[in-house]
Amino acid sequence: MSFFVVDIALPVPLLRTFDYLPVEGDSRENYQPGQRVRADFGRQLLTGIVLGTREHTEVPHNKLKPLLARLDDEPLLTHTDLQLARWMSDYYHHSLGDVLEHWVPTLLRRGADLSEADENGWLRLAAADAEPALRGTKQLALWAQFQRQSYIAHRHLTAQGFSLAQCRKLAELGLIKEQQRLPVPPLPESVRPSLTLNDEQQSAVAKVTGVLGQFKACLLEGVTGSGKTEVYLQLIDKVIQRGKQALLLVPEIGLTPQTVRRFQERFDVPVALLHSGLNDRERLQGWRQAREGHARILIGTRSAVFTPLPDLGLIILDEEHDGSFKQQDGLRYSARDFALVRAHQAQVPVLLGSATPSLETLYNALTGKYLHLKLTRRAGNARPPGMKLHSILHQPLVHGFAEPVLSAMQQHLNRGKQVLVFLNRRGFAPLLACKQCGWNAECRRCDARMTLHQYPPHLHCHHCDYQQPIPSVCPECHSPDIEPIGQGTERIEEQVSALFPDTPVKRVDRDTVRTKQAFDELFDEIHTGKPCILVGTQMLAKGHHFPDVTLVVILDSDAGLFSADFRGMEHSAQLIKQVAGRAGRAESPGDVWIQTLYADHPQLNLLIDDGYHALALSILRERMDQQLPPYSHMAMLRSECEDRATAQRFLEQARHILQHWLKQYGQKDAPVTLLGPVPAIMERRNGRYRFQLQVFCSERKALHQTLDAALKQLQELKGFNKVRWHIDVDPLDTL
């Protein structure tokens, strides 16, 4: 047998691959790119991905280790998967082995077999049109299930109230038999018809349908309540009719159950679901259902963008502007940007939907790079809500509310409607302070104040998750005169309950909605239509349909007006418009009251008077003057260390390396600008000091060449083993 080594990508931070000897007795033909193998790496046992084989290696033969096991006879990942992973590794300057981990569900990363996704179910043996002599309504109803679907997982049947005894009775009659296999999502008992589209919706569907089978990036810019979801549904219907699969990405787990329910009611095909709220086995099942073509529609959050879909025909991103599509640790990828790359590779269109598109997406649409589709009016007879800025400067407040706002709330409740109060700050109060000496409760590990929570009582840092009991006296002067300052959703809930004692108050934030079941139960209560007041954070703002909410009150809307991040105004405006869009989505008109200290702020008034699009154009002009994204490309080098000076010195070395390389090889027609190193806005977080170096360039290729050159030298720097550092390409914020 001739000598050869196997090239393996391992999930380690090193930007290289590794050569191993084959498993004893294996031939070269046993190894194909995309297979999983088990390898001994230092003191770890890791699952790697085969990239290929070769006859030569630079590693001395006496240092080569044999692989411990070959886990797959056939490739788990395709040639296309490996190509896309290499692109992501190059673009985000990240280890290929780490990147490939995102393509593989957790159980498979641990070395499990594909059969781990299988479970007990029942397979139909008789023809679907058979009329067996069954007794009782339950047996007839059970057989009706199998007339629609040939195989049903046992858990789906028990969830519908059928017993094991009833299944066995049908098995005794030779109608079904027990079998273990990959479960397929159940089909609906009946399919709801499509809704009638208005002319704008029809035009959008027609234009995207016209580019099916080819790559085209499309922006669907539709005001809140304009029926973007119905456009998605009818486009997916056309994709399914062509025998293709559709991928829908949503920003929040909370949106997923509602979206899945709506899609399941519309399509007589299996709909799979992938998000972080599922357990490992459920994720493997959804992954296999999509990979093997059983699921024709896949709905998921950010990581679902990696799922293999052999018949991919369309990718849709709902709320494409949402920050949750960008991963903020590890592999800092953008699911939106990667969806575009994947769609281009597969030659399918990608539809980006939003009422408040990101400025990068809007810029591409305005310059003709993307197909720009607009929905300018709400679906049905719904009218856009009236928006009103209310100045609270030098005005008396009642528990944080202006008197006219409280009067408006009472009027809407008297009409039997619902009111939404938005405050993007959970907890009881953002600060606990001593009135005698001025002491503030600060996190011992972060440059941040601790948030006071009442249920259960404790102080909580939302940046590093550090928690501590609430002191009974001031730690500095021992005065008992300490009190909460400011408001969070807990305090607003308490105060609104006191102001409106006869009206139910429902709080929606990360503290009250921790599970999928709790989320579903709460939203089912809201959709009963009974008068209530909803108090919540941005969890309430994203894509939810509340037909009985006719008034939205936005508290503390000024946070983003003076942000140190150049995207602060953009993100603030998106949030305001998204929250405002929850009002008046049905027949009843809606109102939006925004309490502000800066009622004369020009950009805030532009947003209220002329809408998000007008404000976005104004911000784009500012960005062009300052040559900020999207008029340039940006990356951030970040370092953190328990020693402040070491963290700063590392980035000073990085700047020196970049300057030296640019002096020798930099392109004069594409100059690279360096800013920093400077401390992060929150300099200390979780006990570590943080610094950042910003890198700008008008040409994307020149930016990446510069980063590549720096990366190789940064990995070889000595004396910085205690520094954590990373490169963030296209960062979402600069804080």
Side-chain angles (χ1 to χ4, degrees):
M1 183 183 298
S2 60
F3 174 84
F4 71 96
V5 293
V6 188
D7 186 19
I8 306 296
L10 291 174
V12 295
L14 299 175
L15 296 178
R16 50 172 292 223
T17 59
F18 302 88
D19 290 347
Y20 278 82
L21 295 172
V23 175
E24 186 176 353
D26 276 357
S27 65
R28 193 167 183 177
E29 290 72 29
N30 292 129
Y31 294 91
Q32 302 174 54
Q35 290 173 305
R36 290 175 303 147
V37 291
R38 291 290 278 176
D40 181 6
F41 186 82
R43 297 182 179 180
Q44 305 176 77
L45 295 179
L46 301 178
T47 300
I49 301 295
V50 175
L51 301 177
T53 60
R54 56 174 176 264
E55 298 174 357
H56 305 286
T57 176
E58 295 180 0
V59 181
H61 287 204
N62 62 345
K63 293 195 175 181
L64 286 169
K65 294 181 180 180
L67 293 169
L68 302 177
R70 178 169 43 85
L71 301 178
D72 304 308
D73 292 327
E74 299 295 330
L76 190 71
L77 303 179
T78 66
H79 175 69
T80 297
D81 293 328
L82 296 176
Q83 277 187 319
L84 290 170
R86 288 185 187 278
W87 176 89
M88 180 166 277
S89 174
D90 292 341
Y91 187 82
Y92 291 105
H93 305 275
H94 202 84
S95 155
L96 179 59
D98 270 350
V99 168
L100 283 168
E101 279 219 310
H102 288 73
W103 260 262
V104 181
T106 302
L107 284 177
L108 298 185
R109 292 181 213 159
R110 295 173 183 161
D113 192 76
L114 287 169
S115 61
E116 286 283 332
D118 295 343
E119 61 180 54
N120 292 328
W122 300 89
L123 176 69
R124 187 185 71 218
L125 297 178
D129 57 358
E131 297 184 4
L134 296 172
R135 298 178 183 178
T137 56
K138 272 290 187 180
Q139 288 186 3
L140 289 169
L142 178 58
W143 175 242
Q145 296 285 331
F146 285 98
Q147 287 178 304
R148 287 192 300 273
Q149 195 165 343
S150 62
Y151 178 85
I152 307 177
H154 184 74
R155 63 184 174 90
H156 290 317
L157 294 175
T158 55
Q160 296 177 63
F162 299 108
S163 68
L164 178 60
Q166 290 162 346
C167 293
R168 285 177 174 167
K169 180 61 178 176
L170 265 63
E172 289 173 8
L173 296 172
L175 299 174
I176 62 176
K177 73 171 183 178
E178 193 168 9
Q179 189 179 78
Q180 189 173 66
R181 60 190 277 190
L182 176 69
V184 177
L187 299 180
E189 293 187 7
S190 60
V191 176
R192 288 192 177 186
S194 301
L195 302 179
T196 302
L197 301 178
N198 62 33
D199 55 345
E200 290 182 332
Q201 291 171 309
Q202 287 176 351
S203 175
V205 170
K207 288 180 179 178
V208 179
T209 302
V211 294
L212 290 177
Q214 58 183 289
F215 170 69
K216 186 65 181 178
C218 313
L219 167 62
L220 181 64
E221 184 182 3
V223 298
T224 51
S226 59
K228 292 187 291 295
T229 303
E230 186 62 29
V231 172
Y232 303 158
L233 288 162
Q234 298 205 17
L235 280 171
I236 289 175
D237 187 40
K238 295 183 183 300
V239 169
I240 291 172
Q241 289 175 19
R242 296 185 180 207
K244 298 292 186 179
Q245 294 171 291
L247 170 61
L248 171 65
L249 299 178
V250 295
E252 288 282 339
I253 293 174
L255 291 181
T256 315
Q258 299 175 79
T259 307
V260 170
R261 196 178 305 126
R262 188 167 176 183
F263 276 66
Q264 287 172 334
E265 292 170 350
R266 284 286 290 272
F267 296 106
D268 195 22
V269 297
V271 179
L273 174 63
L274 282 177
H275 60 70
S276 60
L278 303 176
N279 63 41
D280 291 343
R281 191 167 185 235
E282 290 170 331
R283 288 181 68 84
L284 178 57
Q285 287 174 342
W287 185 84
R288 276 192 61 193
Q289 288 162 1
R291 177 179 183 260
E292 296 172 20
H294 300 301
R296 308 312 293 172
I297 302 170
L298 175 63
I299 301 174
T301 48
R302 180 178 62 223
S303 61
V305 74
F306 300 106
T307 308
L309 293 157
D311 301 316
L312 182 61
L314 174 68
I315 300 176
I316 299 173
L317 272 85
D318 190 31
E319 310 293 355
E320 66 82 28
H321 67 277
D322 196 278
S324 61
F325 283 126
K326 169 79 170 177
Q327 181 155 304
Q328 298 292 353
D329 55 17
L331 173 59
R332 290 167 169 80
Y333 70 93
S334 163
R336 180 196 65 200
D337 295 348
F338 181 65
L340 291 162
V341 175
R342 184 173 182 185
H344 183 270
Q345 189 279 330
Q347 285 299 291
V348 301
V350 56
L351 181 63
L352 309 175
S354 177
T356 55
S358 65
L359 295 194
E360 285 81 2
T361 298
L362 185 59
Y363 171 79
N364 284 326
L366 294 173
T367 55
K369 188 175 180 180
Y370 294 177
L371 180 63
H372 197 179
L373 311 169
K374 296 181 181 179
L375 304 179
T376 60
R377 60 181 187 271
R378 288 190 157 189
N381 298 318
R383 300 196 302 271
M387 298 184 69
K388 181 180 295 186
L389 287 177
H390 183 80
S391 175
I392 57 174
L393 188 65
H394 307 308
Q395 298 297 315
L397 299 178
V398 180
H399 295 309
F401 292 86
E403 287 283 4
V405 173
L406 291 174
S407 298
M409 292 172 67
Q410 188 64 65
Q411 291 171 13
H412 283 259
L413 292 171
N414 290 343
R415 294 201 294 264
K417 298 301 180 181
Q418 297 174 342
V419 174
L420 189 157
V421 178
F422 173 79
L423 176 65
N424 204 25
R425 186 189 301 121
R426 60 191 175 101
F428 186 81
L431 176 63
L432 183 68
C434 176
K435 295 177 69 175
Q436 298 300 318
C437 70
W439 168 84
N440 293 332
E442 295 184 345
C443 177
R444 64 178 63 179
R445 299 183 59 78
C446 302
D447 291 336
R449 295 180 175 125
M450 303 277 281
T451 298
L452 174 66
H453 287 253
Q454 293 280 56
Y455 309 102
H458 68 288
L459 292 171
H460 195 151
C461 176
H462 291 162
H463 301 283
C464 72
D465 208 34
Y466 174 71
Q467 300 178 38
Q468 69 180 51
I470 302 172
S472 57
V473 297
C474 172
E476 297 289 338
C477 70
H478 307 293
S479 166
D481 199 7
I482 54 176
E483 65 175 19
I485 306 295
Q487 295 172 310
T489 49
E490 278 186 16
R491 193 171 198 175
I492 291 295
E493 177 190 28
E494 181 181 283
Q495 293 169 339
V496 168
S497 297
L499 291 167
F500 300 92
D502 299 326
T503 303
V505 179
K506 304 181 187 300
R507 177 160 58 94
V508 184
D509 58 27
R510 298 287 180 200
D511 298 320
T512 60
V513 185
R514 294 184 180 274
T515 66
K516 174 184 177 296
Q517 182 179 355
F519 198 97
D520 286 347
E521 289 174 356
L522 181 59
F523 277 75
D524 286 342
E525 288 181 37
I526 296 170
H527 282 96
T528 62
K530 296 178 181 178
C532 66
I533 300 174
L534 311 178
V535 175
T537 59
Q538 60 183 331
M539 286 185 73
L540 279 172
K542 298 179 178 181
H544 300 297
H545 179 64
F546 302 128
D548 295 289
V549 169
T550 55
L551 174 65
V552 168
V553 177
I554 301 177
L555 305 178
D556 193 18
S557 62
D558 304 327
L561 300 182
F562 306 101
S563 172
D565 180 19
F566 71 88
R567 287 193 173 93
M569 187 64 216
E570 175 191 356
H571 293 162
S572 182
Q574 288 167 343
L575 190 54
I576 289 172
K577 292 298 288 187
Q578 291 289 331
V579 177
R582 301 314 107 202
R585 293 172 68 92
E587 299 293 328
S588 302
D591 294 315
V592 179
W593 285 67
I594 303 174
Q595 292 191 173
T596 176
L597 289 167
Y598 305 98
D600 58 348
H601 192 284
Q603 288 185 313
L604 190 55
N605 279 275
L606 182 61
L607 175 69
I608 303 305
D609 296 338
D610 298 327
Y612 176 80
H613 193 88
L615 174 63
L617 293 177
S618 172
I619 298 175
L620 279 173
R621 287 192 289 270
E622 292 181 0
R623 299 263 188 98
M624 182 172 63
D625 292 340
Q626 299 169 26
Q627 283 300 291
L628 290 170
Y631 297 95
S632 67
H633 304 285
M634 179 182 181
M636 295 264 286
L637 272 74
R638 293 189 175 100
S639 68
E640 56 179 68
C641 184
E642 292 181 357
D643 180 67
R644 185 183 188 278
T646 304
Q648 181 176 3
R649 193 166 66 251
F650 177 84
L651 285 189
E652 287 172 349
Q653 289 278 2
R655 182 182 177 105
H656 175 75
I657 289 169
L658 287 167
Q659 288 176 324
H660 181 73
W661 188 88
L662 289 169
K663 188 175 181 180
Q664 286 188 303
Y665 307 106
Q667 301 177 25
K668 293 182 179 180
D669 56 342
V672 173
T673 303
L674 306 177
L675 180 60
V678 295
I681 299 300
M682 184 187 295
E683 184 176 353
R684 191 170 63 104
R685 180 172 178 174
N686 202 18
R688 304 180 73 87
Y689 292 91
R690 306 186 305 149
F691 283 78
Q692 57 193 31
L693 174 63
Q694 299 178 15
V695 187
F696 296 90
C697 186
S698 60
E699 296 292 334
R700 194 185 300 274
K701 184 178 180 181
L703 175 68
H704 284 280
Q705 287 176 339
T706 305
L707 294 175
D708 277 334
L711 195 58
K712 294 173 184 176
Q713 296 185 59
L714 286 174
Q715 288 188 321
E716 296 172 358
L717 282 179
K718 305 297 183 182
F720 294 101
N721 57 317
K722 293 184 178 180
V723 176
R724 297 177 190 167
W725 62 277
H726 66 265
I727 295 177
D728 188 357
V729 178
D730 305 325
L732 191 64
D733 64 64
T734 58
L735 301 180

